[in-house]
Amino acid sequence: MGNVPTTVKHCLSYEQLIHDYPWLRRWLQEEKEIVPTGVKIQLIDMLSGTGLPVIEATSFVSSKWVPQMADHTDVLRGIHRAPHVRYPVLTPNMQGLQDAVAAGATEVAVFGSASETFSKKNINCSIDESLLRFEEVINTAKERQIPVRGYVSCTLGCPYEGFIEPSKVAEVAKRLYDMGCYEVSLGDTIGVGTPGSMFKMLESVMKEVPPCALAVHCHDTYGQALANILTALQMGVCVVDSAVAGLGGCPYAQGSSGNVSTEDVLYMLHGMGIETGVNLAKVIEAGDFICNALCRKTNSKVAQAKGRTQ
Amino acid sequence: TPETGHVLPEKVKIVEVGPRDGLQNEKTIVPTDTKIHLINMLSESGLPVIEATSFVSPKWVPQMADQVEVMKGICRKSGVTYPVLTPNLKGFQSAMKAGASEVAIFGAASELFSKKNINCSVDESLQRFDEVMKAAKEAGVPVRGYVSCVVGCPYEGKVAPEKVAHVAKRLYSMGCYEISLGDTIGVGTPGSMSEMLEAVSREVPVSALAVHCHDTYGQALANILVALQMGISVVDSSVAGLGGCPYAQGASGNVATEDVVYMLHGLGIQTGVDLPKLMDAGAFICRTLNRKTNSKVAQATCKL
């Protein structure tokens, strides 16, 4: 099966859809319901009891752009922080970082893109300009001994540019890593990647960033996520991002799925004998809770299968 | 060229089971004309093998009662084969009369599954197929063998890889040219798949093996990838992911052909399939069944 690691640190990215990007704003503005703060807190608390080591809690973007995350301070202050669990938050700029620190954040994350067009269309600046902005955030975070995670979007394809050169992904990943991000999460933002393109991209990135500092953030829009994650594992990646119940659709394909479900990822990892420290049954419970609260069906096939065979 | 650091097959043969396995497991019974139209559309999409129907008694499988009309009604494209299921000699004879030129038989890797479903032990079921094999040989008709419950059984739970290997070997030595290994309830993962395939490939040459993965737990594509990495180059799938899981009400069953083809093409593997035409066939049958597709590729509207 290849050189698959024996343990995988599992990052749960709750509501990974939250970035300070106009395309997300448009999508969110179409969302009829804003999830109440109490529900978010309860979800995070349930996830904290599952064994997940990292739970991305909220985003310190302006509530003008992302009203879904307007309660970022209340959420961060309201959750019960379990020992041995980390709660990173997104901080797109200095203002966000300051607010995050004031609210008690102990880990932050910044987002870069591997596509110039995506960067320009969504945050109105080039990749280089965005990285300069993040450099300020990273340096300030470093001074306060706050670890920073870096994300690269569009690593396997861009809704505007189409194919993205693996070397470009490697370049952006390297910049983030060299600036001081302890880990770089490589995102297949529109889920178009396959094991073929995943392999080529990782081969390129691994020339610049050590595998132990890499994570994959696969979207399941074309059903390829688990196969792509398997490929990444076989290449030595041992950090995987996912979302409970597969929350978070694809803004580029109305009605399509986005994030891969944590439950489905765990089922695969455990089936391969890989340790994650996570209790799948408890994650399924958390997924049930949030789906009921959102009045929606789960995107997790494992949850669907288990739910029906009582 | 290795696309993922593993040596993968250059070509993969896709066995399209939608018209039979898919439709048999759908709640709605589809009119004969619709089935014929679906099979014709699939033939145009480049699929090399399309399982057309099943010669079981309509008493047991009413969805396949129109087996003869379907067989006689489809346009057989040159270079495409249209195997049919034949659970016994009677079914085989009806299939021959209706013009079938390839047939398939089924064995289970789980004793309990065999008893619960066809009221006899695995060995007894294989003996029953002896007659079919003999008749097929005499008629010069190739036979494909299916093994169900290869990684898990709804009654027994885990299934021993050695048992799967034993059944696969029996079918192969009886004369089946190919053995399709089915994860009937979709519980397999790359871990259990590779363990099972290792055991089976010690008894049956890899070139004679196929995988029939169900996506009930979302594991199908990862399982197929592992099978390809182990040298398997025949994959069963169902257009639009037709055919739910009878053991998990409402859960998915067959893996969607569109999603499999998307992955294979992304790996640089040739299939001969035209994905847009395949998607047209999927859209057609879903409209007719008044249901949403199970294919994620079909659901996505992103264009790259």
Side-chain angles (χ1 to χ4, degrees):
Chain A
M1 239 193 329
N3 195 17
V4 167
T6 50
T7 61
V8 165
K9 181 183 80 173
H10 204 82
C11 275
L12 183 96
S13 300
Y14 160 60
E15 289 191 11
Q16 267 299 292
L17 50 99
I18 306 309
H19 322 301
D20 186 17
Y21 295 148
W23 53 265
L24 261 174
R25 273 182 257 140
R26 278 197 297 275
W27 185 77
L28 285 172
Q29 273 149 26
E30 282 158 31
E31 277 291 300
K32 293 181 191 118
E33 285 182 58
I34 289 194
V35 179
T37 308
V39 170
K40 287 181 191 166
I41 289 172
Q42 192 173 344
L43 173 64
I44 295 171
D45 286 347
M46 285 181 86
L47 293 169
S48 294
T50 63
L52 283 159
V54 186
I55 302 169
E56 198 169 74
T58 188
S59 178
F60 283 81
V61 300
S62 160
S63 52
K64 190 172 46 161
W65 301 124
V66 185
Q68 279 276 28
M69 297 285 122
D71 56 1
H72 38 63
T73 300
D74 293 334
V75 168
L76 205 50
R77 292 213 172 125
I79 56 175
H80 166 72
R81 298 215 212 186
H84 312 302
V85 182
R86 291 166 22 220
Y87 302 90
V89 299
L90 260 58
T91 51
N93 48 38
M94 282 305 293
Q95 181 66 56
L97 177 65
Q98 280 154 13
D99 293 344
V101 170
T106 47
E107 181 171 328
V108 300
V110 296
F111 270 78
S113 176
S115 156
E116 282 293 358
T117 313
F118 191 85
S119 193
K120 290 212 174 83
K121 288 235 175 194
N122 291 283
I123 51 173
N124 248 326
C125 62
S126 70
I127 296 175
D128 276 344
E129 284 162 349
S130 76
L131 291 175
L132 281 173
R133 206 188 280 178
F134 298 140
E135 202 164 19
E136 222 196 329
V137 173
I138 294 170
N139 288 338
T140 310
K142 252 193 218 164
E143 279 164 28
R144 292 172 165 274
Q145 258 133 37
I146 293 176
V148 183
R149 188 186 209 227
Y151 283 92
V152 185
S153 58
C154 296
T155 61
L156 298 177
C158 166
Y160 309 106
E161 287 185 18
F163 175 73
I164 296 292
E165 281 292 345
S167 54
K168 185 68 184 181
V169 182
E171 189 193 308
V172 178
K174 181 182 163 68
R175 288 277 304 270
L176 287 166
Y177 185 68
D178 289 347
M179 288 196 304
C181 290
Y182 75 91
E183 192 170 88
V184 179
S185 172
L186 305 164
D188 180 12
T189 307
I190 48 173
V192 290
T194 64
S197 53
M198 173 62 87
F199 177 81
K200 288 192 181 122
M201 183 275 290
L202 285 176
E203 219 183 15
S204 211
V205 174
M206 285 177 176
K207 289 190 190 123
E208 309 292 344
V209 181
C212 57
L214 292 175
V216 288
H217 184 111
C218 298
H219 277 191
D220 203 39
T221 319
Y222 288 76
Q224 308 294 306
L226 286 193
N228 292 343
I229 290 167
L230 177 61
T231 301
L233 296 174
Q234 290 176 339
M235 292 178 76
V237 171
C238 51
V239 182
V240 176
D241 298 1
S242 61
V244 64
L247 290 178
C250 177
Y252 290 93
Q254 206 47 274
S256 288
S257 64
N259 284 310
V260 67
S261 311
T262 301
E263 299 92 319
D264 299 0
V265 174
L266 286 172
Y267 187 90
M268 181 174 81
L269 297 175
H270 292 174
M272 291 167 67
I274 295 174
E275 287 171 40
T276 63
V278 184
N279 181 321
L280 173 56
K282 289 190 174 169
V283 176
I284 293 175
E285 268 174 43
D288 279 346
F289 163 74
I290 191 63
C291 287
N292 283 335
L294 290 173
C295 292
R296 56 162 284 176
K297 278 190 180 158
T298 180
N299 272 341
S300 157
K301 288 212 161 172
V302 168
Q304 282 167 31
K306 299 259 185 195
R308 302 300 202 274
T309 48
Q310 296 296 339
Chain B
T1 22
E3 289 283 339
T4 58
H6 289 81
V7 176
L8 297 176
E10 271 179 27
K11 294 189 175 150
V12 161
K13 179 177 80 174
I14 296 200
V15 174
E16 171 60 50
V17 301
R20 202 284 305 167
D21 187 359
L23 292 182
Q24 184 171 316
N25 285 295
E26 287 287 317
K27 288 183 210 118
T28 322
I29 292 191
V30 166
T32 308
D33 281 344
T34 305
K35 286 183 189 152
I36 289 171
H37 191 59
L38 173 65
I39 293 169
N40 290 343
M41 286 184 85
L42 292 169
S43 296
E44 287 308 308
S45 73
L47 287 159
V49 184
I50 302 167
E51 195 169 73
T53 187
S54 177
F55 284 81
V56 299
S57 161
K59 194 173 41 164
W60 301 125
V61 184
Q63 299 94 320
M64 299 284 126
D66 57 1
Q67 55 208 206
V68 176
E69 295 100 307
V70 169
M71 227 33 225
K72 291 191 167 153
I74 55 175
C75 292
R76 298 218 216 184
K77 194 164 168 97
S78 140
V80 182
T81 52
Y82 302 88
V84 300
L85 256 59
T86 51
N88 48 39
L89 189 60
K90 182 161 181 277
F92 177 81
Q93 285 158 352
S94 309
M96 290 302 102
K97 252 174 108 181
S101 44
E102 182 172 322
V103 299
I105 61 175
F106 268 80
S110 150
E111 286 294 340
L112 221 54
F113 191 83
S114 191
K115 290 218 171 81
K116 288 239 174 191
N117 286 283
I118 53 175
N119 243 329
C120 62
S121 71
V122 173
D123 274 342
E124 284 164 350
S125 75
L126 294 177
Q127 268 163 29
R128 222 183 262 181
F129 290 131
D130 261 335
E131 302 183 294
V132 176
M133 293 308 303
K134 224 192 228 155
K137 242 189 215 155
E138 279 166 23
V141 168
V143 183
R144 189 185 209 227
Y146 282 94
V147 185
S148 52
C149 297
V150 298
V151 274
C153 166
Y155 310 108
E156 282 184 14
K158 187 177 197 312
V159 175
E162 297 69 40
K163 181 72 180 182
V164 185
H166 169 78
V167 179
K169 184 179 175 157
R170 281 288 301 275
L171 287 165
Y172 186 66
S173 39
M174 277 162 67
C176 290
Y177 77 91
E178 193 169 88
I179 314 297
S180 173
L181 304 164
D183 179 10
T184 307
I185 47 171
V187 290
T189 64
S192 52
M193 268 311 265
S194 58
E195 201 186 13
M196 182 274 297
L197 288 173
E198 249 170 53
V200 177
S201 55
R202 283 196 280 266
E203 307 292 340
V204 180
V206 140
S207 55
L209 293 176
V211 289
H212 183 113
C213 298
H214 276 191
D215 204 39
T216 318
Y217 289 76
Q219 309 294 305
L221 287 194
N223 291 344
I224 290 168
L225 180 60
V226 159
L228 296 174
Q229 291 173 346
M230 294 180 75
I232 288 183
S233 59
V234 184
V235 177
D236 297 2
S237 59
S238 176
V239 63
L242 290 179
C245 177
Y247 296 95
Q249 209 48 270
S252 66
N254 284 306
V255 67
T257 306
E258 298 92 318
D259 299 0
V260 173
V261 169
Y262 186 90
M263 180 174 79
L264 296 175
H265 290 181
L267 282 164
I269 293 173
Q270 290 169 44
T271 63
V273 178
D274 179 323
L275 184 52
K277 286 189 177 166
L278 175 65
M279 286 172 62
D280 283 344
F284 162 73
I285 193 62
C286 287
R287 266 195 317 268
T288 319
L289 287 170
N290 199 23
R291 59 158 280 174
K292 279 189 177 158
T293 180
N294 271 343
S295 156
K296 288 214 161 168
V297 168
Q299 284 166 29
T301 52
C302 284
K303 286 174 173 62
L304 194 71

